[in-house]
Amino acid sequence: MKIFKYQIVIFVLLFLTCFVDNVSGQSKREFRGAWIQCVNGQFLGMSTQAMQSTLTYQLDELQKDGVNAIIFQVRPECDALYASSMEPWSRFLTGTQGVAPKPYWDPLQWMVDQCHKRGMELHAWINPYRAKTKGTNELSRNHVAIRHPEWVFAYDGQLILNPGIPECREYICKVADDIVRRYDIDGLHIDDYFYPYPVAGQKIDDSRQYQANNNGIKNIGDWRRYNVNLFIQQLHNSISSVKPWVKFGVSPFGIYRNKKNSPIGSETNGLQNYDDLYADVLMWVNNGWVDYVVPQLYWEIGHKAADYETLIKWWNVHTSKRPLYIGEDIERTVKKADLNNPKINQMPAKFKLHSEMRNVKGTVLWYAKAAVDNIGNYGKTLRNVYWRYPALQPTMPFIDGDAPKKVRKMKVINMPEGKVLFWTAPKGKGWEDEAVKYVVYRFASGERIDIDNPAKIVAITTNTFYDIKELEKTTYVVTALDRMGNESKGKKKKI
């Protein structure tokens, strides 16, 4: 048994070593996200202190793993994990819908502050249409389904805001506007729930709306897609009109269409966004109605109906007009054996596919706690291998492509606790030019300055100072980042 354990340790070390040499060539820009959901009940009924403690631990571990963006669920069923005058407090926070947390706090504001303190982005994740999950038995008096029962239809134990009713689109956009205006979020994120997932024996009750508002569209499926298209366009325009720098992202189901249903479909045989959920994702991407897309590719390589390799290649080809990030299921990845080496899981093969896809600009982990718990050694492999060095966010020149000016007045001051490098923010007018974060690079004495090498990044921070820890001669370079991650030229200081 001891010999077997030693063999495992040696294998892991060899596995890590074979990748370390390649990590120095990792992309400096990569979206490394993680979904933190509440709808699974992980925070239900927790005290304020307990939930803050839990989230602090998760954020600290995710930061060590290399995560640079958190997608935090704040509206699972037309409710709120934030202070809202429009919708009730979520039961997934306090246990009872409409009851505020005690002691009082605002989880979204707290998460914005905590993520920014760690150099992470915070994307607020809302479920636009779902008004009640199966497990919710009582709705608050100010819940939209109570105030406007004519806006919802029942489906498989849920209540769904009807996409065919224009007032529903207006309402969702007002909720999103409220979040965008009041919180310093970096993104507004929606997932795969548009029209409900089909359930045998269930029927969508929208024939009256179709008859009244069909706009001459003769097929009800086309009409439903038209409704969702209108909503996506309206939500995108609404967000950008309030804060143009807030990124609008969508995470659709992993299959757009099967090839048997469309010449441009993938060689798959599963549920489809276009036909079953009435979500025409390619139209949104090609029209610029989304700023990034995260298809949920939760299957394994070799899956008979929905092969991961087939799908990542399909999305890589068809969504080149917007940044493409891949939604990864951690548990399924580590539980499935590599097709060519059954002794290891599929994590290496999947990350290899990522590196080979020209248009894949990042990954979002489903779900954050699985990485934090290091299921199948996934989290530690991220921090030691694939995400060993920090990464900046992918740029979005279609929103803003101009970099801020250089930082100013860099100097080292001897403080009681040691040397501290200080600098002053560059001058900038308007959100396009203002610096919001800084990147600190460290180089050994005489080493060539190369800020394209992520191995030299020692901090991504909102602070205008950095504590110097080493004693040997060193050169520091500091750059400024604007809200879209555009990076200034570096300013150098020898220590």
Side-chain angles (χ1 to χ4, degrees), residues 50-67:
M51 185 169 171
Q52 289 180 355
S53 177
T54 298
L55 286 169
T56 296
Y57 175 73
Q58 289 188 6
L59 292 176
D60 287 344
E61 291 301 299
L62 292 167
Q63 185 179 25
K64 293 173 188 175
D65 290 342
V67 169

mmCIF file of all heavy atoms in Angstrom, residues 50-67:
data_model
loop_
_atom_site.group_PDB
_atom_site.id
_atom_site.type_symbol
_atom_site.label_atom_id
_atom_site.label_comp_id
_atom_site.label_asym_id
_atom_site.label_seq_id
_atom_site.Cartn_x
_atom_site.Cartn_y
_atom_site.Cartn_z
ATOM 1 N N ALA A 50 -21.895 33.858 9.546
ATOM 2 C CA ALA A 50 -21.550 32.549 8.977
ATOM 3 C C ALA A 50 -21.435 32.629 7.452
ATOM 4 O O ALA A 50 -20.516 32.052 6.856
ATOM 5 C CB ALA A 50 -22.594 31.513 9.368
ATOM 6 N N MET A 51 -22.362 33.355 6.819
ATOM 7 C CA MET A 51 -22.313 33.455 5.361
ATOM 8 C C MET A 51 -21.110 34.273 4.916
ATOM 9 O O MET A 51 -20.430 33.913 3.945
ATOM 10 C CB MET A 51 -23.599 34.063 4.822
ATOM 11 C CG MET A 51 -23.660 34.095 3.295
ATOM 12 S SD MET A 51 -25.296 34.532 2.697
ATOM 13 C CE MET A 51 -24.961 34.764 0.940
ATOM 14 N N GLN A 52 -20.803 35.361 5.617
ATOM 15 C CA GLN A 52 -19.627 36.153 5.273
ATOM 16 C C GLN A 52 -18.356 35.347 5.464
ATOM 17 O O GLN A 52 -17.432 35.427 4.651
ATOM 18 C CB GLN A 52 -19.591 37.433 6.106
ATOM 19 C CG GLN A 52 -20.648 38.445 5.713
ATOM 20 C CD GLN A 52 -20.585 39.705 6.546
ATOM 21 O OE1 GLN A 52 -19.809 39.806 7.503
ATOM 22 N NE2 GLN A 52 -21.412 40.684 6.208
ATOM 23 N N SER A 53 -18.314 34.569 6.513
ATOM 24 C CA SER A 53 -17.150 33.718 6.764
ATOM 25 C C SER A 53 -16.993 32.670 5.668
ATOM 26 O O SER A 53 -15.879 32.415 5.168
ATOM 27 C CB SER A 53 -17.284 33.045 8.133
ATOM 28 O OG SER A 53 -16.214 32.159 8.372
ATOM 29 N N THR A 54 -18.111 32.063 5.269
ATOM 30 C CA THR A 54 -18.093 31.057 4.201
ATOM 31 C C THR A 54 -17.626 31.660 2.885
ATOM 32 O O THR A 54 -16.769 31.099 2.189
ATOM 33 C CB THR A 54 -19.490 30.431 4.027
ATOM 34 O OG1 THR A 54 -19.867 29.778 5.236
ATOM 35 C CG2 THR A 54 -19.504 29.425 2.888
ATOM 36 N N LEU A 55 -18.189 32.813 2.534
ATOM 37 C CA LEU A 55 -17.818 33.461 1.275
ATOM 38 C C LEU A 55 -16.377 33.952 1.305
ATOM 39 O O LEU A 55 -15.669 33.873 0.291
ATOM 40 C CB LEU A 55 -18.770 34.619 0.992
ATOM 41 C CG LEU A 55 -20.167 34.227 0.522
ATOM 42 C CD1 LEU A 55 -21.103 35.431 0.523
ATOM 43 C CD2 LEU A 55 -20.124 33.595 -0.872
ATOM 44 N N THR A 56 -15.912 34.441 2.442
ATOM 45 C CA THR A 56 -14.514 34.879 2.561
ATOM 46 C C THR A 56 -13.576 33.721 2.279
ATOM 47 O O THR A 56 -12.595 33.859 1.531
ATOM 48 C CB THR A 56 -14.247 35.453 3.959
ATOM 49 O OG1 THR A 56 -15.043 36.624 4.147
ATOM 50 C CG2 THR A 56 -12.777 35.819 4.133
ATOM 51 N N TYR A 57 -13.869 32.581 2.883
ATOM 52 C CA TYR A 57 -13.033 31.394 2.653
ATOM 53 C C TYR A 57 -13.065 30.985 1.186
ATOM 54 O O TYR A 57 -12.014 30.696 0.584
ATOM 55 C CB TYR A 57 -13.509 30.239 3.540
ATOM 56 C CG TYR A 57 -12.768 28.953 3.282
ATOM 57 C CD1 TYR A 57 -11.450 28.788 3.699
ATOM 58 C CD2 TYR A 57 -13.373 27.896 2.598
ATOM 59 C CE1 TYR A 57 -10.749 27.603 3.454
ATOM 60 C CE2 TYR A 57 -12.700 26.720 2.346
ATOM 61 C CZ TYR A 57 -11.380 26.581 2.772
ATOM 62 O OH TYR A 57 -10.700 25.418 2.508
ATOM 63 N N GLN A 58 -14.256 30.980 0.588
ATOM 64 C CA GLN A 58 -14.359 30.599 -0.823
ATOM 65 C C GLN A 58 -13.566 31.556 -1.715
ATOM 66 O O GLN A 58 -12.827 31.123 -2.604
ATOM 67 C CB GLN A 58 -15.825 30.552 -1.258
ATOM 68 C CG GLN A 58 -16.612 29.397 -0.665
ATOM 69 C CD GLN A 58 -18.008 29.252 -1.250
ATOM 70 O OE1 GLN A 58 -18.376 29.955 -2.187
ATOM 71 N NE2 GLN A 58 -18.797 28.343 -0.709
ATOM 72 N N LEU A 59 -13.702 32.858 -1.478
ATOM 73 C CA LEU A 59 -12.996 33.836 -2.303
ATOM 74 C C LEU A 59 -11.487 33.711 -2.135
ATOM 75 O O LEU A 59 -10.730 33.821 -3.109
ATOM 76 C CB LEU A 59 -13.453 35.249 -1.958
ATOM 77 C CG LEU A 59 -14.893 35.603 -2.335
ATOM 78 C CD1 LEU A 59 -15.239 37.013 -1.854
ATOM 79 C CD2 LEU A 59 -15.123 35.491 -3.838
ATOM 80 N N ASP A 60 -11.024 33.496 -0.910
ATOM 81 C CA ASP A 60 -9.587 33.339 -0.675
ATOM 82 C C ASP A 60 -9.040 32.126 -1.420
ATOM 83 O O ASP A 60 -7.975 32.186 -2.043
ATOM 84 C CB ASP A 60 -9.306 33.202 0.817
ATOM 85 C CG ASP A 60 -9.472 34.515 1.576
ATOM 86 O OD1 ASP A 60 -9.504 35.578 0.928
ATOM 87 O OD2 ASP A 60 -9.565 34.467 2.824
ATOM 88 N N GLU A 61 -9.758 31.012 -1.342
ATOM 89 C CA GLU A 61 -9.301 29.795 -2.020
ATOM 90 C C GLU A 61 -9.363 29.955 -3.543
ATOM 91 O O GLU A 61 -8.454 29.518 -4.259
ATOM 92 C CB GLU A 61 -10.138 28.594 -1.581
ATOM 93 C CG GLU A 61 -9.909 28.184 -0.138
ATOM 94 C CD GLU A 61 -8.455 27.811 0.132
ATOM 95 O OE1 GLU A 61 -7.958 26.862 -0.489
ATOM 96 O OE2 GLU A 61 -7.826 28.486 0.972
ATOM 97 N N LEU A 62 -10.421 30.568 -4.036
ATOM 98 C CA LEU A 62 -10.545 30.782 -5.478
ATOM 99 C C LEU A 62 -9.454 31.711 -5.990
ATOM 100 O O LEU A 62 -8.927 31.524 -7.096
ATOM 101 C CB LEU A 62 -11.933 31.334 -5.806
ATOM 102 C CG LEU A 62 -13.094 30.360 -5.582
ATOM 103 C CD1 LEU A 62 -14.430 31.095 -5.640
ATOM 104 C CD2 LEU A 62 -13.071 29.227 -6.604
ATOM 105 N N GLN A 63 -9.094 32.719 -5.186
ATOM 106 C CA GLN A 63 -8.003 33.604 -5.577
ATOM 107 C C GLN A 63 -6.694 32.823 -5.686
ATOM 108 O O GLN A 63 -5.922 33.013 -6.637
ATOM 109 C CB GLN A 63 -7.861 34.744 -4.564
ATOM 110 C CG GLN A 63 -6.822 35.786 -4.951
ATOM 111 C CD GLN A 63 -6.710 36.907 -3.940
ATOM 112 O OE1 GLN A 63 -7.025 36.723 -2.760
ATOM 113 N NE2 GLN A 63 -6.279 38.072 -4.381
ATOM 114 N N LYS A 64 -6.435 31.929 -4.748
ATOM 115 C CA LYS A 64 -5.241 31.081 -4.810
ATOM 116 C C LYS A 64 -5.278 30.186 -6.040
ATOM 117 O O LYS A 64 -4.231 29.864 -6.620
ATOM 118 C CB LYS A 64 -5.138 30.225 -3.550
ATOM 119 C CG LYS A 64 -4.875 31.008 -2.278
ATOM 120 C CD LYS A 64 -4.951 30.082 -1.058
ATOM 121 C CE LYS A 64 -4.884 30.867 0.248
ATOM 122 N NZ LYS A 64 -5.076 29.976 1.425
ATOM 123 N N ASP A 65 -6.486 29.776 -6.448
ATOM 124 C CA ASP A 65 -6.630 28.915 -7.627
ATOM 125 C C ASP A 65 -6.447 29.677 -8.934
ATOM 126 O O ASP A 65 -6.409 29.063 -10.002
ATOM 127 C CB ASP A 65 -8.012 28.244 -7.633
ATOM 128 C CG ASP A 65 -8.163 27.193 -6.545
ATOM 129 O OD1 ASP A 65 -7.135 26.743 -6.012
ATOM 130 O OD2 ASP A 65 -9.312 26.818 -6.227
ATOM 131 N N GLY A 66 -6.394 31.019 -8.864
ATOM 132 C CA GLY A 66 -6.191 31.819 -10.065
ATOM 133 C C GLY A 66 -7.449 32.436 -10.628
ATOM 134 O O GLY A 66 -7.405 33.083 -11.685
ATOM 135 N N VAL A 67 -8.583 32.261 -9.962
ATOM 136 C CA VAL A 67 -9.857 32.822 -10.444
ATOM 137 C C VAL A 67 -9.780 34.352 -10.424
ATOM 138 O O VAL A 67 -9.307 34.945 -9.446
ATOM 139 C CB VAL A 67 -11.028 32.330 -9.578
ATOM 140 C CG1 VAL A 67 -12.307 33.090 -9.878
ATOM 141 C CG2 VAL A 67 -11.239 30.827 -9.790
#
